[in-house]
Amino acid sequence: MPSTTATRSTAVRKSSTKASPRTPDAVTLLRADHKKVSDLFDQFEKSRSTAKKRQLVAQICQELTVHAQVEEEIFYPEVQAALRDKELVPEAKVEHQSIKDLIAAVEGVEPYGEDYDAKVKVMSEWVKHHVKEEQNEMFPKAKKSKLDLVELGQRLQSRKDELLAQYPTSH
């Protein structure tokens, strides 16, 4: 009788080979999220319309909240275990908390005044710093690990879809 571990790894390998070509691996999925949020911040910087700023901030907050949640629930624990990491993941979690604090300061608030724009600007800078560390340090290490990034990507996408469905309108 095969051990549970052997059976599980065989199943994981089989599931990853049968994955739809449209399902991105975990790193590709997370990089796409990073790009989308970066583009939204760029649009905010260029906007002079209060209504447009309100809509962009709502979308930025939604994207960042969902992204952080799937990373914290699924990606980070897997990476931390695979890499036996005691530095990258804890630091990333602290960075997430700082970004969540800024989200709380601007989400649902009317976009008036210098303080509002400054909070969004600082959030953008912190997100850029966080993204740079993930993409230059964590993601390359995850790719070199034994993690099944396709299976992990499927789990991330599934959870992301669940979370996005909880929002009144998805952008």
Side-chain angles (χ1 to χ4, degrees):
M1 181 171 197
S3 73
T4 307
T5 307
T7 306
R8 191 178 305 122
S9 65
T10 303
V12 168
R13 257 185 271 132
K14 284 180 184 171
S15 72
S16 67
T17 56
K18 291 183 180 180
S20 161
R22 288 177 281 150
T23 304
D25 69 40
V27 170
T28 302
L29 179 78
L30 296 173
R31 280 181 182 271
D33 285 355
H34 293 166
K35 171 84 171 99
K36 183 174 187 177
V37 169
S38 176
D39 291 346
L40 291 170
F41 277 122
D42 288 345
Q43 289 175 47
F44 180 88
E45 286 285 322
K46 293 173 187 162
S47 180
R48 298 291 164 248
S49 160
T50 301
K52 183 68 174 169
K53 282 184 173 188
R54 184 183 314 112
Q55 181 265 322
L56 287 166
V57 168
Q59 192 174 357
I60 288 167
C61 291
Q62 175 183 317
E63 293 292 335
L64 288 175
T65 300
V66 169
H67 177 84
Q69 190 167 339
V70 298
E71 279 188 331
E72 290 170 10
E73 288 179 2
I74 300 168
F75 189 70
Y76 288 171
E78 294 285 347
V79 167
Q80 193 163 27
L83 301 179
R84 295 188 179 101
D85 172 66
K86 290 179 171 53
E87 187 179 325
L88 290 174
V89 171
E91 185 179 328
K93 288 180 182 178
V94 171
E95 291 170 352
H96 275 191
Q97 187 56 54
S98 297
I99 294 165
K100 288 176 190 176
D101 292 345
L102 282 168
I103 288 170
V106 298
E107 194 169 35
V109 175
E110 285 301 310
Y112 297 116
E114 295 170 357
D115 283 355
Y116 184 90
D117 285 0
K119 288 173 185 173
V120 175
K121 178 68 174 169
V122 170
M123 186 189 329
S124 171
E125 290 169 357
W126 284 2
V127 168
K128 284 176 185 158
H129 167 81
H130 176 73
V131 164
K132 183 178 176 185
E133 286 188 347
E134 278 188 348
Q135 292 188 172
N136 293 340
E137 297 176 42
M138 190 183 293
F139 292 175
K141 289 179 180 181
K143 282 182 168 187
K144 290 179 185 172
S145 76
K146 293 186 192 293
L147 284 171
D148 182 340
L149 293 176
V150 171
E151 185 271 339
L152 197 53
Q154 291 168 336
R155 287 173 40 212
L156 287 169
Q157 186 62 60
S158 176
R159 182 63 176 136
K160 193 174 162 186
D161 292 345
E162 285 175 19
L163 293 170
L164 287 171
Q166 295 174 12
Y167 283 86
T169 56
S170 197
H171 301 282

